[in-house]
């Protein structure tokens, strides 16, 4: 491979290669030797990463590779994700009602408690991603945290089953609930429930950032069809997420209605237990990647080294060059080398080699170019998942507020009454149908428009999803204004838990289906984008970016709700807040339109970030 030589310390001494002031205008890459013999994957555009290893961390032979990985291994992983999502959505839709009807907490505080649980379980995904990339590997991280998840679900089942964990339910009818006259749960009972709930969230935090990356690891980067397999994998992966959600919103709700809360939560624990068994059965078929050591340590080393050399000049005669290991070997286990880029030049100071660094440099004073580029990539990725926080806010609000809307509407389909808690199944169904028809309808049509082999790039898909989410929340505001006016006009203002027989709940399907379609494009595109763009040894952390964005959306929804309640309620003049427990006296439509405005601003920010973003490329000489 042809490459430019890096200036050596010996050259400095001999005075054979002294930089001039014009070096400031020359790309720093000319002072960096790319000595890795990587080639483009046959699919094009993707840099080959680390060699797959077996569970004993030994490199796989060609014979081993032919017996492992591929779609069969991926389907074992899909099962684990489907069960985790079934439990996650089963808790998100049922736990609010459980806290309100059984634990006798106010509806608003129950919703906030569940939002906080959902947020913490997603934000803490960074921990799972860190452990997977640094020490455990993705397989063992999933294995450990899926067991923790099962322990938490078992504890929730016991809480709903054993009377000692529940407040007294006698003389607690619907009127008593509305008036707040039911016996509240004791502090220790709430403590137990919150403990097992957060154990469950902690388990999810270790699974979520690893499952999609571990599944994608099963495909051979050398394959000609690698890119196509990867694209289909993330669609099928999210299809498994959707199936888990559909089961949670239908079968689990049915079990709850027919057999009680204990049976409903027990079914989630049973599903998780079965998926754990299937995941472990698939162990011989998995391909693994070596953990690359602590990514936080590597990030800290880059920041410290760059700070120490902040006053050094790239044009100084003292500069030897940008430091990188010679040969194919990367300084980071489990990672291929990364070519130098000119972004965040201040961080390049960490790789700036000076004569005093010597032949065996201290990593806190001198880092490799690959290590510096890892930090650059993580920084460049941040604006994209951050742009999806707004989508998560909308999804979180829909999960709680639209259920309150549905309580006031007629949920009958002919003679069949659809339970209110089943209403969130419709976004999941829309996702299922969109994903099922994605390659037959969207890809051929969009391919003619964009010329992209997959119909649209990952960032284009994220943008489409964010655009559709704006339509969804705008429609929600329009319909809620109509629903509220109808309730007031027809004398239902005080009956916020009584359905209005002449107004169908299926008007909510428009916002549900739109947000489902938005989620397909945005989240699937984001997961694929983060997997491909993240550094080889930080792919779990890259995937955790999506989960963290989702968690921050849950927290943002809670904070926004609290601000609105305090800002719009006026007890002195008996003015109800926008989020009054009586939805007919509240102004949910104002909230939806506020979210519409925020979403438009967020979409403009995304367009700016996406237009500036440059996908990772392989240098032509490689």
């Amino acid at each position: 491979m042809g490459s430019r030589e890096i200036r050596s310390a010996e050259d400095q001494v001999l005075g054979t290669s002294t930089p001039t002031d014009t070096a400031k205008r020359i790309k720093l890459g000319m002072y960096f030797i790319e000595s890795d013999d990587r080639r483009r994957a046959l699919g094009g555009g993707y840099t080959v990463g680390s060699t797959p290893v077996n569970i004993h961390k030994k490199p796989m032979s060609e014979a081993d590779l032919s017996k492992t990985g591929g779609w069969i291994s991926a389907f074992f992983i899909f099962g684990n994700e489907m069960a985790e999502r079934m439990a996650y959505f089963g808790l998100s839709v049922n736990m609010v009602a459980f806290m309100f009807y059984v634990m006798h907490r106010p509806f608003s505080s129950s919703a906030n408690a569940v939002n906080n649980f959902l947020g913490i379980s997603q934000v803490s995904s960074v921990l799972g991603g860190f452990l997977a990339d640094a020490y455990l590997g993705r397989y063992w991280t999933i294995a450990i945290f899926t067991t923790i998840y099962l322990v938490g679900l078992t504890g929730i089942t016991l809480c709903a089953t054993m009377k000692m964990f529940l407040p007294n339910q006698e003389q607690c009818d619907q009127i008593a609930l509305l008036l707040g006259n039911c016996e509240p749960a004791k502090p220790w009972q709430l403590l137990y429930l919150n403990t097992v709930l957060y154990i469950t969230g902690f388990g999810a935090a270790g699974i979520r950032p690893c499952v999609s990356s571990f599944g994608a690891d099963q495909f051979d980067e050398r394959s000609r069809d690698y890119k196509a397999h990867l694209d289909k994998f993330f669609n099928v992966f999210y299809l498994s997420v959707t199936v888990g959600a559909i089961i949670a919103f239908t079968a689990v709700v049915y079990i709850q209605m027919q057999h009680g809360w204990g049976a409903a939560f027990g079914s989630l624990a049973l599903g998780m237990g079965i998926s754990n068994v299937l995941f472990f059965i698939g162990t011989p078929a998995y391909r693994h990647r070596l953990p690359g050591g602590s990514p936080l340590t590597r990030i800290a080393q880059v920041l410290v080294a760059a700070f120490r050399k902040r006053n050094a000049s790239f044009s100084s005669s003292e500069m030897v060059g940008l430091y990188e290991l010679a040969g194919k070997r990367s300084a980071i286990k489990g990672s291929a080398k990364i070519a130098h880029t000119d972004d965040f030049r201040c961080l390049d100071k960490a790789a700036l080699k000076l004569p005093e660094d010597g032949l065996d440099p201290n990593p806190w004073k001198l880092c490799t170019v690959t290590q510096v580029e890892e930090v650059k990539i993580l920084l460049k990725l941040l604006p994209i998942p951050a742009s999806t926080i707004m989508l998560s806010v909308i999804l979180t609000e829909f999960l709680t507020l639209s259920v309150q809307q549905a309580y006031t509407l007629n949920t009958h389909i002919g003679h069949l009454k659809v339970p209110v808690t089943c209403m969130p199944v419709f976004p999941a169904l829309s996702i299922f149908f969109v994903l099922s028809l994605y390659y037959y309808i969207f890809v051929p049509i969009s391919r003619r428009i964009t010329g992209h082999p997959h119909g649209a790039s990952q960032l284009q898909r994220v943008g489409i999803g964010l655009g559709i989410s704006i339509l969804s929340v705008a429609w929600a505001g329009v319909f809620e204004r109509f629903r509220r006016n109808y309730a007031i006009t027809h004398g239902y203002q005080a009956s916020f838990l009584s359905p209005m027989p002449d107004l169908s709940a299926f008007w909510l399907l428009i916002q549900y289906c739109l947000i489902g379609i938005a989620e397909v494009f945005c989240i699937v595109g984001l997961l694929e984008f983060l997997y491909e763009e993240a550094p080889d040894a930080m792919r779990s952390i890259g995937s955790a970016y999506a989960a963290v964005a989702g968690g921050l959306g849950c927290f943002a929804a809670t904070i926004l709700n609290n601000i609105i309640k305090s800002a719009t309620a006026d007890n002195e003049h008996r003015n109800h807040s926008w989020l009054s427990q009586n939805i007919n006296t509240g102004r949910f439509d104002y909230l939806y339109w506020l979210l519409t405005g925020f979403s438009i601003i967020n979409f403009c920010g995304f367009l700016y970030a996406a237009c500036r973003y440059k996908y990772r490329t392989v240098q032509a000489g490689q």
Side-chain angles (χ1 to χ4, degrees):
M1 178 188 73
S3 60
R4 294 178 290 274
E5 290 293 329
I6 193 169
R7 299 194 305 126
S8 66
E10 289 76 17
D11 289 337
Q12 282 280 342
V13 173
L14 294 173
T16 57
S17 181
T18 303
T20 67
D21 290 338
T22 59
K24 294 180 181 179
R25 298 189 294 272
I26 300 175
K27 288 188 174 183
L28 288 173
M30 72 172 296
Y31 295 109
F32 161 59
I33 182 171
E34 173 54 89
S35 53
D36 193 356
D37 284 333
R38 291 176 295 158
R39 294 291 185 268
R40 289 177 184 267
L42 294 176
Y46 189 80
T47 304
V48 175
S50 58
T51 303
V53 298
N54 59 26
I55 196 170
H56 304 294
K57 300 183 179 181
K58 303 297 182 182
M60 286 185 168
S61 65
E62 288 296 327
D64 293 331
L65 289 173
S66 64
K67 299 175 183 177
T68 59
W71 285 103
I72 293 177
S73 299
F75 276 111
F76 282 107
I77 299 166
F78 289 149
N80 187 266
E81 177 61 13
M82 185 172 69
E84 190 273 322
R85 294 283 89 181
M86 182 180 77
Y88 176 84
F89 287 112
L91 291 176
S92 67
V93 73
N94 285 301
M95 189 53 67
V96 175
F98 178 75
M99 287 186 171
F100 179 70
Y101 286 107
V102 180
M103 304 302 288
H104 305 156
R105 298 189 65 182
F107 194 92
S108 58
S109 63
S110 298
N112 282 344
V114 173
N115 286 348
N116 289 336
F117 154 70
L118 299 178
I120 289 174
S121 71
Q122 295 190 75
V123 169
S124 55
S125 295
V126 172
L127 173 63
F130 168 77
L131 291 175
D133 286 340
Y135 305 112
L136 299 176
R138 289 186 261 277
Y139 171 84
W140 286 111
T141 303
I142 295 172
I144 292 170
F145 281 86
T146 199
T147 305
I148 295 173
Y149 204 126
L150 181 58
V151 170
L153 289 175
T154 303
I156 293 173
T157 303
L158 292 176
C159 178
T161 304
M162 302 178 67
K163 291 185 177 180
M164 64 177 293
F165 294 116
L166 304 175
N168 189 356
Q169 304 297 314
E170 294 179 4
Q171 298 179 346
C172 185
D173 54 17
Q174 189 176 68
I175 295 177
L177 274 171
L178 296 178
L179 296 176
N181 293 333
C182 293
E183 180 183 312
K186 296 179 177 62
W188 72 267
Q189 292 172 331
L190 288 176
L191 176 63
Y192 173 80
L193 176 59
N194 286 321
T195 300
V196 292
L197 197 59
Y198 284 107
I199 288 174
T200 306
F202 182 67
I207 300 171
R208 192 171 294 117
C210 300
V211 175
S212 60
S213 298
F214 188 52
D217 288 345
Q218 305 308 309
F219 296 94
D220 192 349
E221 294 174 334
R222 302 169 300 172
S223 168
R224 183 179 299 274
D225 298 324
Y226 174 71
K227 295 283 286 184
H229 283 315
L230 204 62
D231 183 66
K232 290 182 179 179
F233 165 78
F234 282 103
N235 279 282
V236 178
F237 172 81
Y238 211 71
L239 193 64
S240 68
V241 171
T242 305
V243 171
I246 291 172
I247 296 173
F249 295 139
T250 53
V252 176
V253 171
Y254 175 81
I255 291 172
Q256 185 274 315
M257 294 178 64
Q258 296 297 319
H259 304 286
W261 295 103
F265 294 137
S267 66
L268 300 179
L270 179 63
M272 198 72 211
I274 294 172
S275 76
N276 288 2
V277 172
L278 293 176
F279 177 78
F280 290 121
I281 288 175
T283 297
Y286 298 144
R287 296 175 181 177
H288 306 261
R289 298 295 177 93
L290 289 173
S294 171
L296 296 184
T297 301
R298 296 200 301 275
I299 293 170
Q301 287 172 341
V302 170
L303 297 178
V304 169
F307 180 78
R308 282 178 166 175
K309 294 183 177 178
R310 64 191 181 280
N311 295 322
S313 173
F314 290 120
S315 60
S316 169
S317 60
E318 292 294 310
M319 182 180 76
V320 176
L322 297 182
Y323 176 63
E324 181 59 274
L325 294 187
K328 297 181 180 181
R329 183 172 62 90
S330 169
I332 303 166
K333 184 169 60 175
S335 173
K337 287 183 177 178
I338 304 175
H340 176 266
T341 64
D342 286 322
D343 301 307
F344 301 106
R345 286 170 69 95
C346 60
L347 294 178
D348 284 325
K349 297 288 182 73
L352 184 62
K353 188 170 184 180
L354 303 175
E356 59 263 28
D357 289 318
L359 298 177
D360 187 19
N362 182 338
W364 292 94
K365 295 181 179 179
L366 181 65
C367 304
T368 65
V369 167
T370 294
Q371 189 174 341
V372 173
E373 291 300 320
E374 276 191 332
V375 180
K376 290 183 182 181
I377 290 170
L378 291 181
L379 290 174
K380 287 187 286 186
L381 289 178
L382 273 175
I384 305 304
S387 299
T388 66
I389 292 175
M390 199 63 229
L391 174 67
S392 178
V393 172
I394 296 172
L395 286 167
T396 302
E397 298 287 20
F398 277 4
L399 270 177
T400 53
L401 302 185
S402 63
V403 170
Q404 285 182 263
Q405 289 176 290
Y407 271 115
T408 70
L409 302 170
N410 183 358
T411 60
H412 282 83
I413 302 178
H415 296 291
L416 175 65
K417 178 177 173 58
V418 178
V420 169
T421 47
C422 282
M423 293 299 292
V425 75
F426 292 103
L429 288 174
S430 68
I431 294 172
F432 181 85
F433 287 121
V434 170
L435 286 174
S436 300
L437 300 174
Y438 182 83
Y439 289 101
Y440 301 100
I441 297 178
F442 172 77
V443 171
I445 294 174
S446 58
R447 187 186 290 134
R448 294 177 184 176
I449 299 172
T450 65
H452 194 280
H454 303 302
S457 68
Q458 294 115 346
L459 289 181
Q460 286 172 338
R461 279 181 274 168
V462 173
I464 291 171
L466 293 178
I468 295 174
S469 72
I470 296 174
L471 299 178
S472 173
V473 72
W475 165 259
V478 171
F479 175 69
E480 172 55 21
R481 183 178 181 86
F482 174 78
R483 188 211 61 78
R484 182 180 182 274
N485 289 339
Y486 184 95
I488 294 173
T489 302
H490 291 79
Y492 290 98
Q493 185 169 356
S495 305
F496 65 95
L497 289 181
S498 298
M500 296 178 285
D502 295 328
L503 189 58
S504 174
F506 295 97
W507 284 104
L508 294 172
L509 294 190
I510 296 176
Q511 68 198 54
Y512 279 156
C513 292
L514 285 173
I515 200 64
I517 295 170
E519 196 174 353
V520 168
F521 283 99
C522 186
I523 304 303
V524 176
L526 179 66
L527 288 173
E528 185 177 345
F529 169 78
L530 291 173
Y531 181 82
E532 290 205 42
E533 295 297 302
D536 293 337
M538 292 186 178
R539 279 179 171 161
S540 295
I541 288 183
S543 296
Y545 270 13
V548 169
L552 291 176
C554 294
F555 289 133
T558 300
I559 294 170
L560 179 63
N561 290 350
N562 290 336
I563 292 173
I564 287 175
K565 285 177 186 176
S566 62
T568 59
D570 187 352
N571 294 328
E572 183 178 346
H573 296 89
R574 296 187 178 181
N575 290 331
H576 298 281
S577 78
W578 290 3
L579 298 177
S580 170
Q581 182 157 291
N582 182 345
I583 185 175
N584 295 330
T585 59
R587 296 307 304 246
F588 282 23
D589 52 335
Y590 287 175
L591 172 61
Y592 286 142
W593 287 336
L594 180 65
L595 292 176
T596 302
F598 286 159
S599 297
I600 292 172
I601 296 171
N602 176 74
F603 183 67
C604 293
F606 166 78
L607 290 179
Y608 176 78
C611 290
R612 289 177 58 87
Y613 187 85
K614 295 180 181 179
Y615 287 94
R616 290 176 63 188
T617 58
V618 182
Q619 292 180 341
Q622 291 181 333

